[in-house]
Amino acid sequence: MYKIILLLILFIGPQINRGQTNEEKIIAKIGSELISESEFIERYELTPQISATMIGGEAALKREVLYSIIAEKLWALEAESMGLDKSELIESTYKAIEKMYVRDALYRQEILSKIKLSDEYLSEAFRRNSLLLDLNYIFSEDETEINDIFKQLGDGVDFYSIFLKRPESTLQEIPYVVGYGQMDKNVEDILYSLKPGDFTQPIKAPNGWYVFRLLSTEQKIIENAEQAEAEQKYVLKVAETTLIDSIYKDFYSRFFKDVVAETNKELFLKLSDYVVDALSNRSEKEMIPPGEKIYLIPKDLYEIENDLGAELLNAEFINLNGQPVSINDFLQELSIEKFYIDSLDNNHIKGRLNFAVKIFIEHELLSREGYKRGLQNLPEVQRYLKMWRGYYLTETLRKEIAQSVQITDEEAYEYFLEKNQGTTSVLEVKIIEVLTEDLDVIRTVLDELNEGRDFKELAIKYTVREEAKNNNGELGFFSVSEYGELGRKAALMKIGDMYGPIKVSEGYSLFELLDRRENVDMSLNNYEVEKENIKVELRHKKYSNALINKTVELANKYDVQLNDEALNSIEILNTTTVVYRYFGFGGRLLAVPMTAPNYLWIKPWQEQEDLTP
């Protein structure tokens, strides 16, 4: 029994965190900030890395990831020094994520910490797993009818004399077989306590009422050691899940017993109308087939917030145990929880939204309880909150930089002349791409690729880049100086290589190199025809240069120090799927932030250091 309990402890241990030891290597220092070996491995391995066969391979990719994490921390420090952490967007987004981690900490305290599987509990679990129950049942949707049948059985009427006259008997020409873990625990407790010939009291189910009768039990036959090991794992998993479910239901019934929540009906209907319009318009624009999921994306939520206006966003949406909650609070959770519908029927959408409000109320109350206990201050909670806070601060500052980059007609024309002066060739590439704002789409694409699906079909189906969607998923030939990181990576790839997903300004991109060509005579291009493309290309270039220059400036300001030896010694594994963390009491989030690539600053920064006397 000792070995069984040991296995279980390993099974329910932490799923994401790698504990930091006193002897752990430090990979980099950014002022007072440290990047430890465990943090780097976690950030690397929990982010999908489909690496093309480029120069440097895995070692180069490790450096790119590290330099991008360093840049993220530099930009976060700078954003905080600029007071961007006080912005309403950062505070509301951060608060929504903080609530998730606080709820999760409460779940660990109230549910997981109470999992204690005794020898007796496990012994009974293994006993039940060794038996299969052969049953018959009588079913009725009418409680009065089933109670009358039960009374007849209690008065001595033979079970079969009733059973054989019932329509459900035709479905039971052979006995109904039940094994361990197939029924609700309360029902299972009743069934496994029966002796052959015994019948149960009426048992309520979602579709009606049942009376079961035990015919006999069969001993499960274990044929080999491999099957015995599989059965042991199954029992441990079911035993743990069953106990968690029992503890959870007990806590849930006690915690929400006296909740008083009142939603502002007028505001709910107004919000519903905006949600219906947003999803209907996007379904029409993107030609989403009937029955497919339509998600509320950040752009939809931004437009809904603008339509509602500041006054309604901050108005009381829900009165929860005497305390107000705003629509803005609710929308922040929607943005993280990925609200979706699979029908454009108004009542369906409003029903889904009403259910989302119910879940939000539960989450809000659980978060409040967690805050009351001070769970937001736990070291493990703070560690992940700091990670996400840094990511959002970085994204906020990057957007400010991006918005500041403007291209005039004069600049575009000068760039065109400069580019063509004395130049008769340029490297161009053609790619197939899936571009999306939703990482769930990326995960679906990666899963379907592993199943052998054609990437071109997936790109046509899932990409949101219109020029690609309308061209068999392909982006026509473009200069490698265009599209920022996509062009830079494609220039180093071999035909047939795939790369990504990477964070880009439009969302997340996963792409495959189809072709490359050189010796295109740029001097023949007409400026007026290429004007808009030139502006896009120059804007990417100026933005990229701005990122590099700003990061170099910040690396000097915050005194970046690298430990190349420690980095080179780290052994890592590549993840080829999107990894989520699922939180206690519901909700999910990326296991770690997927930071945008920002590693080109390292070369000018190091060259600058080399030139310092």
Side-chain angles (χ1 to χ4, degrees):
M1 194 58 68
Y2 173 77
K3 291 182 180 179
I4 294 173
I5 295 174
L6 177 60
L7 284 171
L8 187 62
I9 291 171
L10 294 174
F11 177 77
I12 65 174
Q15 297 176 341
I16 293 177
N17 178 42
R18 292 172 180 261
Q20 185 168 325
T21 68
N22 293 330
E23 300 177 1
E24 188 172 27
K25 298 172 184 174
I26 300 302
I27 310 301
K29 293 183 179 181
I30 307 99
S32 60
E33 293 281 322
L34 303 177
I35 299 178
S36 65
E37 180 181 11
S38 64
E39 179 181 355
F40 175 76
I41 292 174
E42 183 177 46
R43 291 291 295 266
Y44 186 102
E45 292 189 347
L46 294 180
T47 300
Q49 309 284 355
I50 296 183
S51 176
T53 52
M54 297 177 293
I55 298 172
E58 183 181 278
L61 189 55
K62 281 201 300 185
R63 289 193 295 272
E64 289 178 8
V65 171
L66 175 63
Y67 301 152
S68 296
I69 295 172
I70 291 172
E72 179 186 286
K73 290 181 180 292
L74 287 169
W75 284 62
L77 287 169
E78 186 67 6
E80 188 171 14
S81 73
M82 296 167 61
L84 295 182
D85 58 323
K86 301 298 191 296
S87 72
E88 185 176 338
L89 178 61
I90 286 291
E91 288 189 341
S92 58
T93 303
Y94 177 79
K95 195 68 177 178
I97 290 175
E98 183 181 64
K99 288 178 180 179
M100 295 179 76
Y101 280 95
V102 168
R103 290 198 306 269
D104 188 67
L106 180 66
Y107 181 84
R108 292 174 182 278
Q109 190 177 91
E110 280 290 338
I111 311 298
L112 294 187
S113 69
K114 297 179 179 177
I115 298 175
K116 293 179 175 60
L117 299 180
S118 65
D119 287 357
E120 291 77 16
Y121 184 88
L122 286 172
S123 178
E124 174 62 14
F126 279 101
R127 183 191 75 82
R128 292 184 184 185
N129 187 64
S130 69
L131 299 175
L132 295 174
L133 307 183
D134 293 334
L135 302 159
N136 281 140
Y137 64 83
I138 295 172
F139 169 77
S140 176
E141 295 179 353
D142 186 337
E143 183 179 4
T144 301
E145 181 185 35
I146 202 75
N147 284 334
D148 180 63
I149 292 171
F150 179 68
K151 185 177 183 304
Q152 293 179 52
L153 294 172
D155 291 339
V157 177
D158 182 64
F159 183 91
Y160 280 110
S161 66
I162 301 174
F163 171 75
L164 293 174
K165 298 175 184 176
R166 308 283 303 175
E168 60 267 23
S169 66
T170 60
L171 303 175
Q172 303 175 64
E173 292 181 2
I174 58 175
Y176 179 66
V177 180
V178 169
Y180 175 63
Q182 295 178 0
M183 306 285 273
D184 177 85
K185 183 178 183 304
N186 292 330
V187 176
E188 184 181 275
D189 288 344
I190 295 170
L191 296 180
Y192 273 92
S193 68
L194 297 176
K195 296 177 181 178
D198 287 351
F199 55 84
T200 69
Q201 293 186 353
I203 297 174
K204 192 177 188 317
N207 61 337
W209 298 81
Y210 289 82
V211 171
F212 291 95
R213 182 175 186 267
L214 178 63
L215 302 176
S216 62
T217 60
E218 300 176 45
Q219 194 73 32
K220 190 182 290 186
I221 299 173
I222 306 297
E223 297 182 346
N224 51 52
E226 184 178 344
Q227 186 182 352
E229 183 180 357
E231 289 292 324
Q232 183 186 52
K233 289 180 179 178
Y234 174 76
V235 171
L236 293 174
K237 182 178 179 180
V238 172
E240 179 197 11
T241 302
T242 302
L243 187 57
I244 288 175
D245 184 60
S246 175
I247 296 170
Y248 179 89
K249 286 178 178 177
D250 178 63
F251 173 80
Y252 189 95
S253 62
R254 287 185 289 103
F255 185 80
F256 292 106
K257 184 175 63 173
D258 299 318
V259 170
V260 178
E262 184 176 354
T263 304
N264 185 316
K265 185 177 180 181
E266 184 179 341
L267 279 182
F268 175 80
L269 292 175
K270 186 179 287 291
L271 175 62
S272 298
D273 289 339
Y274 286 134
V275 170
V276 168
D277 289 344
L279 295 173
S280 299
N281 291 338
R282 196 151 54 76
S283 174
E284 182 179 351
K285 181 181 177 181
E286 298 178 13
M287 295 180 290
I288 299 174
E292 285 203 6
K293 291 179 180 178
I294 309 173
Y295 286 86
L296 266 183
I297 61 176
K299 182 181 177 183
D300 298 328
L301 289 165
Y302 179 74
E303 290 174 355
I304 289 170
E305 287 171 358
N306 281 340
D307 290 339
L308 285 167
E311 185 176 346
L312 286 182
L313 275 176
N314 294 304
E316 182 178 303
F317 180 47
I318 304 168
N319 188 294
L320 192 51
N321 284 347
Q323 296 180 340
V325 181
S326 69
I327 282 187
N328 188 48
D329 294 328
F330 174 61
L331 292 180
Q332 285 303 321
E333 176 156 320
L334 274 195
S335 69
I336 294 173
E337 295 291 348
K338 299 291 185 184
F339 177 83
Y340 71 89
I341 50 96
D342 50 22
S343 167
L344 289 173
D345 177 75
N346 281 12
N347 289 331
H348 170 77
I349 296 176
K350 290 177 180 178
R352 289 278 303 158
L353 198 62
N354 186 58
F355 181 73
V357 170
K358 175 183 178 294
I359 297 300
F360 170 72
I361 289 171
E362 292 179 1
H363 285 176
E364 187 68 19
L365 285 168
L366 290 164
S367 298
R368 289 180 184 180
E369 178 64 22
Y371 283 118
K372 189 190 303 182
R373 300 185 187 188
L375 301 183
Q376 70 276 17
N377 299 317
L378 292 175
E380 187 66 6
V381 172
Q382 283 296 308
R383 187 168 80 85
Y384 282 104
L385 290 179
K386 183 178 181 181
M387 191 184 293
W388 281 104
R389 185 172 180 272
Y391 168 77
Y392 281 110
L393 281 170
T394 299
E395 289 296 296
T396 301
L397 184 52
R398 284 172 67 107
K399 285 177 183 176
E400 284 201 0
I401 299 291
Q403 290 168 0
S404 71
V405 176
Q406 302 295 328
I407 305 298
T408 65
D409 289 346
E410 292 76 13
E411 286 178 306
Y413 186 63
E414 287 178 10
Y415 179 66
F416 175 77
L417 294 177
E418 178 188 340
K419 188 175 178 180
N420 288 284
Q421 185 176 6
T423 303
T424 58
S425 68
V426 67
L427 176 61
E428 293 188 331
V429 292
K430 180 164 67 172
I431 64 173
I432 301 178
E433 181 199 31
V434 171
L435 175 70
T436 177
E437 291 186 353
D438 187 356
L439 273 170
D440 276 340
V441 171
I442 293 292
R443 184 166 73 162
T444 299
V445 170
L446 293 173
D447 289 345
E448 294 190 21
L449 283 173
N450 288 333
E451 293 170 3
R453 291 288 301 280
D454 182 65
F455 187 49
K456 180 177 286 190
E457 292 179 12
L458 299 174
I460 295 169
K461 180 177 180 180
Y462 290 114
T463 192
V464 298
R465 203 186 291 276
E466 287 299 322
E467 56 206 283
K469 184 179 281 289
N470 299 327
N471 189 36
N472 292 322
E474 299 178 12
L475 273 179
F477 278 104
F478 62 90
S479 167
V480 294
S481 59
E482 294 181 63
Y483 293 106
E485 187 69 11
L486 270 66
R488 284 195 291 272
K489 285 299 181 190
L492 302 173
M493 292 163 60
K494 297 177 182 177
I495 292 174
D497 278 352
M498 184 175 290
Y499 188 82
I502 56 172
K503 182 79 168 62
V504 294
S505 57
E506 304 97 327
Y508 302 94
S509 176
L510 178 67
F511 66 94
E512 177 185 341
L513 180 64
L514 287 180
D515 202 359
R516 59 198 300 149
R517 67 186 184 190
E518 296 185 51
N519 299 321
V520 178
D521 189 352
M522 293 296 292
S523 63
L524 298 178
N525 287 334
N526 180 284
Y527 171 69
E528 289 303 323
V529 172
E530 294 295 322
K531 181 178 178 179
E532 292 308 313
N533 288 336
I534 289 292
K535 281 189 171 184
V536 169
E537 184 177 332
L538 181 55
R539 190 174 188 281
H540 275 300
K541 184 176 181 180
K542 285 186 71 173
Y543 177 58
S544 178
N545 288 338
L547 289 182
I548 293 169
N549 294 335
K550 185 68 176 177
T551 310
V552 169
E553 174 193 327
L554 296 176
N556 291 329
K557 178 178 179 179
Y558 293 103
D559 188 26
V560 169
Q561 299 176 40
L562 303 174
N563 186 342
D564 289 328
E565 183 180 346
L567 177 66
N568 293 335
S569 70
I570 294 176
E571 295 183 4
I572 42 81
L573 298 172
N574 277 7
T575 300
T576 57
T577 189
V578 178
V579 182
Y580 284 99
R581 172 172 179 162
Y582 288 83
F583 291 85
F585 295 122
R588 69 172 189 173
L589 197 61
L590 281 176
V592 293
M594 185 182 288
T595 190
N598 184 4
Y599 54 85
L600 295 178
W601 62 273
I602 195 71
K603 185 177 180 181
W605 178 69
Q606 288 178 331
E607 288 174 348
Q608 162 205 269
E609 280 198 327
D610 292 340
L611 294 173
T612 303

